[in-house]
Each structure stands twice: as C-alpha cells, then as structure tokens.
Amino acid sequence: MAAAESCIECDVAIVGAGFAGALIAHELGKARKKVVVLEAGDGVPPNINDYMKRFYMATAKVPESPYTPEIFDADHKLKDPSTVNAGRPTVMSLFPKGGFGDWTDPKQSYLIQKGPRPFASTYDRVAGGTSHWLGTCLRFVPADFKMKTNYPSVPQFVDWPIGYDDLNPWYGKAEEELGVSADVEEQKFLGIQFPADHRYPMPKIPSSLVDLAVADALKSLSVDETKFLEMETPPTQIRVRNLPAARNSQPYRNRRACAGNTNCIPICPIQAKYDPTITLNDATSTGFVRILDRTVASGIVVGENGRVSQVNFIQYAGPRANGCVKAKIYVIAANAIETPRLLLMSKHPDPNVKGVANSSDMVGRNLMDHPYYVAWGLTPTPVYPYRGPLITSGIGDLCDGPFRNKRGAFRIDIGNEGWNFVIGGDPNVTTLDFVNGMNRSKVNVGQEALFGKKLVETLNDKFTHQFRVGFLAEQTPDVENRVTLSSQFRDGLGLPRPEISYNLSDYTRQGIVAAYRMKNLLFRKMGVKEPPVEIGKDEPTRFEELIDDKVVALSYGGAGHVMGTCRMGSKKDNSVVNSFQQSWDHDNLYLVGSSTFATGATANPTLTLAALSLRTADKILREDLR
Amino acid sequence: MTQSPHSGPNAIAQGRTEDRAVGAFTRRTVLAGAAAATAAISVGAVDSPASAQSRQDMLAFVLLSAALTGIAEGKLAPNFHALPSSTNIDLEQSDPGSDPVDVKQEYFDWVNKRHQPTFRRLLQFAKDSRNASDRAQAIIDKVQARPDTKYLARSIVLMWYLGAWYDPGHLQALVEHPSAAPAKFEVISPKAYTQGWALRVAQAHPMGFSEMQFGYWSRPPSPRGDFIGN
C-alpha cells in the first residue's frame, strides 16, 4: 500500500471511464473541478485503426472482437482469465459444458458462472466497454419507474425514488450530449412526454426496407389476433417506430453522418455513432480531467467518520505498482458487475458489514439483463438486409399494459443485418453451404454445391430475403440473481473474480412466451418461413415451456444491458443509493450507471443512465463542491 | 504496396508494370488500415523463381475467378480488357487490369504459395477454355472433374466472396465427414475482408465497409448487375 502522503489528490475521483464516468468527468471539468479518472483497461487510442484491423481479421466478429484485452491466445484458445490483468466476459464463453467456450469453465470464462442459467451479457474494458453499443437512446416509459405501485401483484417489483417527470429535463440534456437523432412526435407513446418546443438534436434516421415490411404486415390486425397480448384493448394496428439513436443523421459535433456501414456493433468505422471516447476527449480538453489507464481500483477505504477517505489502485502499464487517490467526492462508475465487485472487495470498518455501501446487504443483488429472444426466417419478397444501421426501428407500444401484472413486457427490434449473428456468422455460413454443398444454414436442403451464375442467383435470393427479429424481455429484480466474489478464482492482478448466480423468474419466462406468440403472429402476417432450427439439449440458455398444449424449446441471449446490483430506493434498509445515486452509508460516495436501476424496463439502459449521471454531476456541483 | 510482384526473374510483364502502380489514396485504402503492409508481406514471401507469375497467368486467374464466382471479370479486376474481343481473347494483347486496391494479386499469391501444382492446372483450364462458346461452363466442367481441382476451386470462390481462406483439404473433410464443429478459416487481410463479394451479390456491402451515403437503406438497391456485372 502506498503511503498516504503519496496519494494523488483531487476534487473528485472517478472509477471507470464509460458513459457515466465520462459524462460526470466532463461536467465537473467544465466547472474547473480537478478530476482523476481510473480506467482499468487500455487507454483511448488516438484513432480507431487498430480496432478496425482487429475487427477485420477476427474470424468471429463478436461484439468484443475489436477491443482489448485479446480474447484468444496464440493457439486460438480462449485466454485463461487468471492471466489477464483486467478481464472481461465474452460471448465465446457461453457454449455448452465440456468443450470450447464451456460457460462453467473458469479457465475459459472470466465470470465464474454458478447458474443455474448463464448470464449472457458482456462488457468491455475500453472507455467503459460501451463502445460496442448499438446507439439506441430510448427513454423509459413513465410506468417503468412505478412498477410496485402499478403492478402490486408482482412481489419483486419496487418503485424508483424518482419518476419520469424528474428525469425529463435530464433526458433532454443527455440526448444533446450524446447527439440523438429522432422525431419528437413519433416518440410520444405510452405516456412519454417532452417539454414544450423540445426537439431532438438531429432529425430521425430513416426506416429501412425491412422496417417497412414489418410495418406493412402489422397495420391491420383483428382483435382475435392480438388478444393474447392482454393490452388494455387488443390493438388492431401495431405501430413500428424509428428508434431514437445516438447516431448522426447529419454532421454533429465534428462527426459525420451515418453511412450505413451495418456494423454499429461491434464498431462504427466512421464514428457516426457516439461512444464515450468522444466525451472523454472533451473532458480532458478542459484541462481539469486526468485519466489514468491500466489502473484498477482495488479497494475503497472508509474512514472512522463513515466517509470514504481514499481509493487504492494497482497500475499494470509497466512494472506493477500500487497507488491511491484522495478526493472530496468519490464516484464509482464501473458497471453493474465491476462496481459491486469493487464494493465487496473493499473493507468496511464495521466487521459486521460485508463490503462498502452495503449495510442493506443489497450490493450485488438484483442483477438484471433484457434476456433476448431472437427468431429468423425468409420473407416472401426481398427485404434487402445488410443495409443501413444494424437496427433502425422497433416496436415499443407493447411495453406496458395490464399484462404486466402477470408476465414481463417485451420490446421488439427489427434487424437490418439478416441472419448475420443468428446462424453463427453470415454471410460466411450460407456462402459456405452453397459453395461446398453443406446445410448449416438449413436453407440448402438439397446440399447443392454451386459455381458461377447459379451460385450468384441462389445467394442473392437467400440473402435478400433474410429476416431477423429480436425481443428484449423485461426481467424481474430477483435478490438471488447476484454478483459475489469468487473465493477460489482470481484475475491476473490477484483480485477475486466476479461470481454470478443467475436465473429467469417465471414472470420473465412468461414474457418470453408472449414474445414467442408475437413472433408467430408477425411471421404469419409477413409470410416469413422459418428454417427448421433445433435448440440443442445441451444449450445452456435453453428452457422449455408449455404453449398451447405443446412443449416448446426456447432460448435467450444477452442484450448487453447489465443492470440492478446497487439499486436506488427511498429507504436505507432496502436499497444501496438514493435518487442521486449517493450511497446511504457514505455520503461522499456515489455509485453511478445502470447498477442503480431499481427495475429494468425494456428500453436500452444507456440514455437513462446518462440522464441520471448528469443529474448526479449537477448535484455534486450544486451541493457537495460549492 | 512496397514492391512489384513482377520482380521475379522470369516475369514477362516488362514494360507494363506501370499498370500495377499503386498508391492512390482512396477511402478504401485508408479504411483498410494496415492492409498495404500486410499485402506487401504476402507478396514478398511468394515471389520466388519457382512461382513466377506471368501476365498470362494473371489473365487466366481473372477468367477462372469470373467463371467460378459468377462475377464479371471487370468487377473482380477493374480495367480488365479482353482483346481483341471477349470471345476471342489474345493473352498477349489483353490487359488483366489495374486498380489501386488490386486484391487479385494478393489472392493469386496466396493460392500460388499454398497449392501451386493444382493452381497451375486451374489456370491452364482457363487458358484452354478462353475462347469456348460458354467459357464459364467450360471452365466449371473441367474443374469439377477431379477432387483436387474442385476443392481448390471452391476455396478460391470463398476467398473472393468472403476475403477468407478455407483450405481445400478442410472443405473436402467437411463434406466427407460431416460434423457440427465450426468450419475453420482465416481472414486473409483487412483489405481482403473489405473486398468480399458475398454481400455485394446481395446488393449490399461487407459489414463495416459501406461505400454508400446516408439514407441509402431507405430506398431499394440498384439492380444486382450494377454490383457484380452479371
């Protein structure tokens, strides 16, 4: 441990340089407060060329592929996470037991997954790891903040200590900072309102031909067809809306308009999509913000007065070195797995309290995601996928209604990327099938091997008809879905790795069942034909449900929306932070990001966590650092 | 590219190497990042006397590739000119084309280094068929006759479509011993990835490499012929 006198001193110490950390650092830097940001991963490179090269060369172009640390070793095996200084989960370690990517194997998976089901979302270690986000910037619907009040029959639900109206102005500021393209009138649904004369910074991103095909299929429905949704009244039309996105529809803040690279995840090659490196650069340009990369916070020190007195860290850029930072205010902005991990690694002066900020015993609990159910098939007429941003539109109008007393909500997004990720990496899989006489795509039933004109005609026909839809399911906060510390497995710095217990509640699974029925309705209306896909019995995300007297096998993926492990609330005994994301236990400690979400809703969490972060920065400036 | 691949002692392209001059600074080369360096390495490694490539070989490679892929010669090799005509090709007169990206040279070298004898056979099929009434079919028929030429031809098609290398031996094993294991391949280079044809056949573009403008996705694409010439 470094001697106290050698600690770096500043006004505010921030752990984590992702969305929340970057936004807060920038706000404080603009106000001439001295800020030090500790970033566990590599620094922000001067340009994205290395990321792009890594992406191009990757055989599995998974969300993590452009970034560091490397996922694979020289032998093309997954790197042993015990050798990595700041590890990260990957979708490559979500495969069945016993083989490559065994989800339960700590030599292949950074997260120690205790099950019973895998936690399927991942995060990165550069600029907080959210460079690989899609850019979707939905607001929550008002009901999402009052789930206990609105749906009292669901015991897991709690209310947020703030509501939509409290966040409304902060949503607007976040939309400006991230640069969101959308149309105000189109975004008014399920009670979402905007201040008078409000405008998004840029016009909306146009719909794709895939979006238009879905909208056309759902414009006329019968009550019989939609009564299964159990909305207030069965809809006779389901509207497709363009998604608000932090993706430029015109030049904005020195970045160019989207060119439709169809690659938002894992990386936009022209940075038309916002990512936190943009705000980090603005923050450091204030002259008051310093970022220390390859610097891993290892402990939060609490003084006898109950206030945080310093944060200890390990630096691994060169020879490993310990250090510490002292500040007036501390902001932990890791993510909903790394933040509770750090809190639990830290020692509380009271031996009866496990970790820092944890007198409620809620730290690490209520881990949530949006379990992601996907389906795919071929349309009767071409929809021309692989064009435009990965997703341009979705269906949000089914996100709230009386059904929420019984089952989870879902939000639908419409893929513009054909079968790219759903069959293990198209265009490669289908191309290989028709060149080499195989049938892994399930659309080369005759196992034809083609050359020349026949090959061109066949592949054009298959690719231009590919359709993919996804359903983001609402997940209940469950206290046993939690992050703890592994007693056995450590990372390359000798710090305990996160251990994850995770399951889907019946309420959550029933939301996926409703999504399955919605898929059937949509495919029927569009005339989409599904290939005969079977979910392997050994697939760890597989589950079976009885639907209309038939056993149906379903599965889920991760949405990358890691939420809920430091929940906010209005009482100290059942929550970790207040509405300003300030620890109940230590008043100069803030825990920011989607870890503070009390419930998970169905919207992507980024805009909401950005709004909360700006609100927290304002509070720190107004009250704590006056 | 830092050296001419025609530098082998038996190269016969004297006086025409300027056709291959590279250096145009296009959006493609900028985006391809380290592609040029990667390509230079692969070229340098193969250009031994034993593998000397003639101008006729490159012409044959373009004809072969067009027949197998179904994509027009002029798309695979911009500025390709068959002379005196497309049905009466004089290998001495014709021009294999030049373009600043020039992925065909990288592919030629890649295959020549790994499977030279079979590759030579494939090139000869193209030369022999160059004036056939249905050139593409004549080449395809010859290629299909033997397993070694058939599977190498498939590897070459996948290379053009995906910018990736699937070894012919592995392709044969995938067919003869079906399993659920993922197919093995490697991406040839960043440049190769960005020049893949699979999604251009789909009237789109390689993911992460759009040469189109904002909003194009809200309109139907141009006809397939605009993308691949066929």
Side-chain angles (χ1 to χ4, degrees):
Chain A
M1 192 67 55
E5 56 270 25
S6 70
C7 280
I8 299 167
E9 303 221 358
C10 58
D11 293 319
V12 179
I14 300 177
V15 175
F19 279 92
L23 288 167
I24 292 173
H26 185 214
E27 292 302 307
L28 300 175
K30 282 191 291 188
R32 306 173 74 83
K33 302 299 177 191
K34 198 173 159 194
V35 178
V36 170
V37 182
L38 311 182
E39 164 59 44
D42 285 331
V44 176
N47 58 53
I48 62 171
N49 290 355
D50 284 346
Y51 292 163
M52 287 308 299
K53 184 180 175 192
R54 215 177 279 115
F55 162 74
Y56 288 140
M57 294 303 287
T59 52
K61 294 189 180 341
V62 295
E64 307 86 60
S65 56
Y67 307 105
T68 57
E70 300 283 354
I71 301 167
F72 296 101
D73 63 18
D75 299 328
H76 304 289
K77 292 195 172 119
L78 287 167
K79 256 192 183 174
D80 181 347
S82 69
T83 66
V84 180
N85 291 324
R88 55 176 179 154
T90 166
V91 295
M92 302 306 286
S93 55
L94 291 171
F95 290 106
K97 281 185 191 180
F100 171 84
D102 176 347
W103 70 285
T104 63
D105 178 6
K107 286 198 174 310
Q108 301 190 75
S109 170
Y110 167 72
L111 301 177
I112 311 301
Q113 299 248 25
K114 305 304 280 187
R117 302 180 199 278
F119 184 76
S121 278
T122 66
Y123 52 88
D124 274 320
R125 292 296 207 149
V126 177
T130 19
S131 290
H132 75 227
W133 75 314
L134 187 83
T136 305
C137 275
L138 286 159
R139 296 176 172 213
F140 277 22
V141 303
D144 292 334
F145 295 98
K146 302 290 171 205
M147 291 302 288
K148 183 183 172 70
T149 302
N150 291 334
Y151 304 106
S153 61
V154 186
Q156 297 103 313
F157 281 143
V158 289
D159 285 348
W160 292 49
I162 46 173
Y164 181 85
D165 292 342
D166 301 302
L167 269 191
N168 199 347
W170 300 105
Y171 271 136
K173 289 184 202 301
E175 285 156 357
E176 194 177 319
E177 181 58 34
L178 273 54
V180 178
S181 300
D183 179 75
V184 166
E185 288 306 314
E186 189 177 19
Q187 298 309 321
K188 289 178 182 170
F189 63 95
L190 293 178
I192 294 177
Q193 289 299 328
F194 298 84
D197 302 327
H198 183 80
R199 295 178 71 168
Y200 279 97
M202 287 169 279
K204 70 179 182 183
I205 306 271
S207 308
S208 69
L209 301 180
V210 189
D211 299 337
L212 299 179
V214 175
D216 195 48
L218 297 179
K219 71 183 178 199
S220 176
L221 301 163
S222 72
V223 167
D224 270 356
E225 284 175 318
T226 62
K227 66 183 181 201
F228 76 92
L229 291 166
E230 299 186 78
M231 304 286 288
E232 195 80 56
T233 48
T236 52
Q237 175 186 10
I238 297 176
R239 183 157 172 201
V240 171
R241 295 174 196 267
N242 296 63
L243 283 180
R247 186 185 300 120
N248 288 1
S249 63
Q250 57 195 32
Y252 186 77
R253 296 200 179 172
N254 293 321
R255 289 179 293 115
R256 54 182 286 199
C258 172
N261 274 282
T262 325
N263 212 57
C264 319
I265 298 171
I267 184 166
C268 175
I270 61 171
Q271 275 197 307
K273 181 194 71 180
Y274 170 90
D275 68 67
T277 65
I278 290 151
T279 298
L280 284 176
N281 287 336
D282 289 346
T284 51
S285 297
T286 64
F288 289 87
V289 177
R290 181 177 165 204
I291 302 172
L292 304 177
D293 58 58
R294 290 163 288 181
T295 301
V296 179
S298 55
I300 301 166
V301 180
V302 175
E304 286 184 2
N305 59 2
R307 288 169 66 87
V308 174
S309 59
Q310 72 183 54
V311 169
N312 297 324
F313 58 74
I314 304 170
Q315 291 191 299
Y316 63 87
R320 197 170 298 171
N322 293 326
C324 52
V325 57
K326 280 182 171 293
K328 295 171 188 153
I329 299 293
Y330 298 84
V331 177
I332 311 303
N335 58 46
I337 289 176
E338 296 295 330
T339 292
R341 177 189 181 215
L342 174 59
L343 294 170
L344 295 171
M345 281 197 298
S346 304
K347 293 215 169 11
H348 195 279
D350 177 350
N352 294 319
V353 179
K354 274 191 201 160
V356 163
N358 195 24
S359 64
S360 63
D361 190 34
M362 281 290 134
V363 168
R365 295 187 183 273
N366 307 302
L367 175 66
M368 294 176 283
D369 192 359
H370 294 132
Y372 195 43
Y373 166 64
V374 293
W376 61 96
L378 295 175
T379 52
T381 54
V383 288
Y384 300 108
Y386 300 100
R387 301 167 77 246
L390 286 180
I391 297 171
T392 38
S393 296
I395 298 172
D397 297 47
L398 309 177
C399 289
D400 188 47
F403 63 84
R404 261 174 144 181
N405 274 311
K406 291 197 280 191
R407 57 120 177 132
F410 57 78
R411 193 173 62 74
I412 303 174
D413 63 29
I414 300 163
N416 288 333
E417 78 302 313
W419 295 4
N420 166 245
F421 74 86
V422 291
I423 61 167
D426 243 357
N428 289 50
V429 174
T430 300
T431 305
L432 177 62
D433 276 0
F434 284 99
V435 171
N436 203 40
M438 298 157 58
N439 189 28
R440 294 187 174 189
S441 62
K442 310 291 182 196
V443 291
N444 188 13
V445 179
Q447 303 202 332
E448 293 178 283
L450 306 174
F451 282 121
K453 194 174 174 209
K454 274 190 196 151
L455 178 64
V456 161
E457 285 170 351
T458 306
L459 286 180
N460 175 269
D461 177 61
K462 299 301 180 199
F463 285 137
T464 58
H465 290 73
Q466 285 186 352
F467 175 69
R468 189 284 292 175
V469 67
F471 300 79
L472 296 112
E474 175 178 34
Q475 179 159 31
T476 43
D478 295 298
V479 290
E480 295 307 321
N481 282 354
R482 63 188 296 204
V483 179
T484 54
L485 299 179
S486 171
S487 57
Q488 197 182 347
F489 298 101
R490 294 178 178 264
D491 65 15
L493 297 177
L495 301 173
R497 301 219 310 262
E499 190 169 281
I500 310 290
S501 305
Y502 186 74
N503 205 348
L504 304 185
S505 66
D506 186 55
Y507 181 92
T508 303
R509 290 199 314 279
Q510 288 308 312
I512 298 175
V513 168
Y516 169 82
R517 292 181 199 273
M518 183 65 212
K519 179 268 295 181
N520 286 344
L521 171 63
L522 177 65
F523 281 18
R524 195 170 66 243
K525 299 300 276 189
M526 291 180 73
V528 167
K529 290 210 165 42
E530 285 183 273
V533 175
E534 280 178 21
I535 302 165
K537 288 254 191 252
D538 57 352
E539 275 301 325
T541 56
R542 175 194 166 105
F543 62 96
E544 292 181 352
E545 293 291 336
L546 194 63
I547 304 176
D548 301 333
D549 302 324
K550 265 174 51 187
V551 175
V552 177
L554 299 164
S555 73
Y556 65 94
H561 304 163
V562 194
M563 302 176 285
T565 52
C566 300
R567 63 154 53 153
M568 65 164 70
S570 48
K571 283 193 199 144
K572 179 178 163 56
D573 61 353
N574 64 3
S575 63
V576 181
V577 295
N578 64 22
S579 79
F580 289 101
Q581 308 186 94
Q582 182 180 26
S583 160
W584 290 113
D585 298 351
H586 317 285
D587 64 10
N588 64 340
L589 177 66
Y590 291 82
L591 313 172
V592 300
S594 46
S595 65
T596 66
F597 287 15
T599 52
T602 52
N604 310 46
T606 304
L607 188 74
T608 299
L609 79 85
L612 289 169
S613 298
L614 294 174
R615 185 170 179 265
T616 294
D618 177 71
K619 196 265 183 188
I620 291 171
L621 285 171
R622 239 177 343 95
E623 296 184 12
D624 302 334
L625 295 178
R626 268 184 307 167
Chain B
M1 219 165 278
T2 54
Q3 68 179 95
S4 164
H6 293 284
S7 58
N10 295 328
I12 59 161
Q14 293 91 341
R16 297 297 293 264
T17 49
E18 73 277 10
D19 288 353
R20 299 205 55 260
V22 195
F25 201 60
T26 66
R27 196 178 98 73
R28 286 198 287 182
T29 52
V30 171
L31 272 180
T38 312
I41 291 163
S42 63
V43 167
V46 298
D47 214 19
S48 63
S51 64
Q53 164 213 328
S54 71
R55 170 194 176 75
Q56 298 187 355
D57 291 338
M58 182 52 84
L59 276 159
F61 181 54
V62 175
L63 294 175
L64 172 79
S65 297
L68 298 177
T69 61
I71 297 163
E73 290 85 354
K75 291 288 182 182
L76 298 177
N79 291 325
F80 176 92
H81 291 298
L83 296 171
S85 77
S86 64
T87 53
N88 179 20
I89 297 175
D90 181 340
L91 293 176
E92 285 301 317
Q93 280 187 50
S94 296
D95 186 342
S98 65
D99 69 284
V101 175
D102 198 25
V103 77
K104 66 183 182 299
Q105 187 65 49
E106 188 170 339
Y107 289 167
F108 186 104
D109 295 337
W110 182 279
V111 185
N112 202 33
K113 178 182 173 184
R114 286 164 179 76
H115 299 278
Q116 196 181 86
T118 311
F119 187 44
R120 292 275 145 198
R121 199 166 284 127
L122 289 176
L123 295 179
Q124 196 58 48
F125 292 162
K127 290 175 186 174
D128 295 346
S129 311
R130 69 183 188 276
N131 293 325
S133 58
D134 185 345
R135 182 169 68 236
Q137 196 56 49
I139 292 174
I140 291 168
D141 289 344
K142 290 189 176 84
V143 159
Q144 301 266 39
R146 296 169 48 141
D148 61 339
T149 53
K150 180 173 77 178
Y151 284 104
L152 183 60
R154 291 181 181 181
S155 294
I156 289 170
V157 172
L158 291 167
M159 178 168 69
W160 280 107
Y161 270 67
L162 302 167
W165 185 248
Y166 293 73
D167 189 77
H170 181 55
L171 293 179
Q172 189 164 0
L174 285 170
V175 171
E176 292 176 359
H177 311 286
S179 82
K184 291 181 197 147
F185 67 96
E186 61 183 303
V187 178
I188 289 173
S189 68
K191 174 163 77 173
Y193 175 80
T194 62
Q195 301 308 306
W197 285 95
L199 291 182
R200 291 181 169 103
V201 165
Q203 293 157 270
H205 55 80
M207 295 180 79
F209 191 74
S210 160
E211 294 175 285
M212 299 172 212
Q213 298 298 317
F214 177 79
Y216 74 84
W217 56 88
S218 63
R219 300 179 290 273
S222 300
R224 193 182 76 209
D226 285 3
F227 287 83
I228 62 166
N230 282 329

